[in-house]
Amino acid sequence: MMALPLTFVPGTMCDDRLWRPMLTHLPGCQPVFCDYSAAETMEDMAEAVLDQSPALSHLIGFSLGGYLAIEAAISAPHRFESLTVIAASPYGLTDAEKALRRRNGEMLTRLTYKGMSPARLKQFVHESHLDDEAITGTILAMERDLGQEVLIRQLIAPIERPNIAAGLLDLPFPVHFIMAEDDALVPIGAIEKLAAKSERITLHRIKGTTGHMIPLEAPAELAGLLIDILD
């Protein structure tokens, strides 16, 4: 695994701090951290991933970064040895999800954002981790430091993202999905059906007290999976 760099693509309102707890369990790896926070569109975000990726690496994306990693892998499969998608899907948003994002985006252009509410945080983090400052504090700090303008862009830009699942079936290298069974944001059922369509696509389940924020909530388990996947 350590022979090639690992290219990490963070999720919405996340940066390299998302990966730091996990990397303590991956000594000797060569991490490359993508940053698409300045991008205005999904096309710009995917281009940033390709621009910042080495000539050849293992590509690993979380949440929105997982979708962007899929786009990058489909666009330039010769650049990657494998693709790992964490807590994300290749599918587009529902009409209800699109409408909610538009309302929230419009509201954010008029009001000063004061940070993620406790109710919203419960959607991202398993209830057993809500009092864990190492987890929730990192989430809130990343959000605060990236700021309201980045939030608006990352909320609005992905609204019309297409279903790109079919492109995964043609990739020439292994594709791994790592999903938490208790993730309140990304259903695991659709990924089960996708994995059944190709021997190159594997679904790995994380059971127990882990929500959407797998890299922060289960860093040791995630690192162990990556070692098994990429070794």
Side-chain angles (χ1 to χ4, degrees), residues 127-204:
E127 61 181 2
S128 64
H129 292 148
L130 287 172
D131 293 326
D132 189 332
E133 179 66 21
I135 295 172
T136 60
T138 300
I139 294 169
L140 296 175
M142 291 189 295
E143 183 187 50
R144 180 187 65 245
D145 293 346
L146 286 167
Q148 184 165 338
E149 292 304 315
V150 174
L151 175 58
I152 293 171
R153 290 198 297 269
Q154 294 185 358
L155 188 67
I156 298 300
I159 285 179
E160 296 300 337
R161 62 191 181 205
N163 180 340
I164 55 175
L168 286 168
L169 302 177
D170 297 325
L171 291 177
F173 45 69
V175 176
H176 298 272
F177 280 85
I178 299 177
M179 311 287 288
E181 292 191 341
D182 289 339
D183 188 340
L185 295 178
V186 184
I188 202 170
I191 307 303
E192 290 176 325
K193 295 175 183 177
L194 178 62
K197 295 180 179 180
S198 173
E199 293 182 354
R200 287 199 182 94
I201 301 176
T202 305
L203 170 61
H204 307 267

Side-chain angles (χ1 to χ4, degrees), residues 49-201:
V49 172
L50 286 174
D51 287 347
Q52 296 168 33
S53 297
L56 185 64
S57 67
H58 294 287
L59 184 58
I60 302 164
F62 165 75
S63 198
L64 174 58
Y67 184 96
L68 295 172
I70 295 170
E71 284 197 317
I74 293 172
S75 298
H78 61 284
R79 298 275 303 277
F80 305 105
E81 189 75 9
S82 70
L83 170 65
T84 301
V85 181
I86 304 166
S89 88
Y91 302 107
L93 300 177
T94 66
D95 289 341
E97 289 170 329
K98 292 177 184 179
L100 178 61
R101 280 176 174 256
R102 290 192 179 98
R103 287 197 300 271
N104 288 340
E106 193 277 332
M107 179 182 66
L108 285 169
T109 62
R110 295 184 288 105
L111 303 174
T112 299
Y113 183 63
K114 297 181 179 179
M116 189 180 295
S117 68
R120 180 64 170 158
L121 195 58
K122 287 180 181 179
Q123 294 180 294
F124 286 85
V125 178
H126 193 276
E127 61 181 2
S128 64
H129 292 148
L130 287 172
D131 293 326
D132 189 332
E133 179 66 21
I135 295 172
T136 60
T138 300
I139 294 169
L140 296 175
M142 291 189 295
E143 183 187 50
R144 180 187 65 245
D145 293 346
L146 286 167
Q148 184 165 338
E149 292 304 315
V150 174
L151 175 58
I152 293 171
R153 290 198 297 269
Q154 294 185 358
L155 188 67
I156 298 300
I159 285 179
E160 296 300 337
R161 62 191 181 205
N163 180 340
I164 55 175
L168 286 168
L169 302 177
D170 297 325
L171 291 177
F173 45 69
V175 176
H176 298 272
F177 280 85
I178 299 177
M179 311 287 288
E181 292 191 341
D182 289 339
D183 188 340
L185 295 178
V186 184
I188 202 170
I191 307 303
E192 290 176 325
K193 295 175 183 177
L194 178 62
K197 295 180 179 180
S198 173
E199 293 182 354
R200 287 199 182 94
I201 301 176

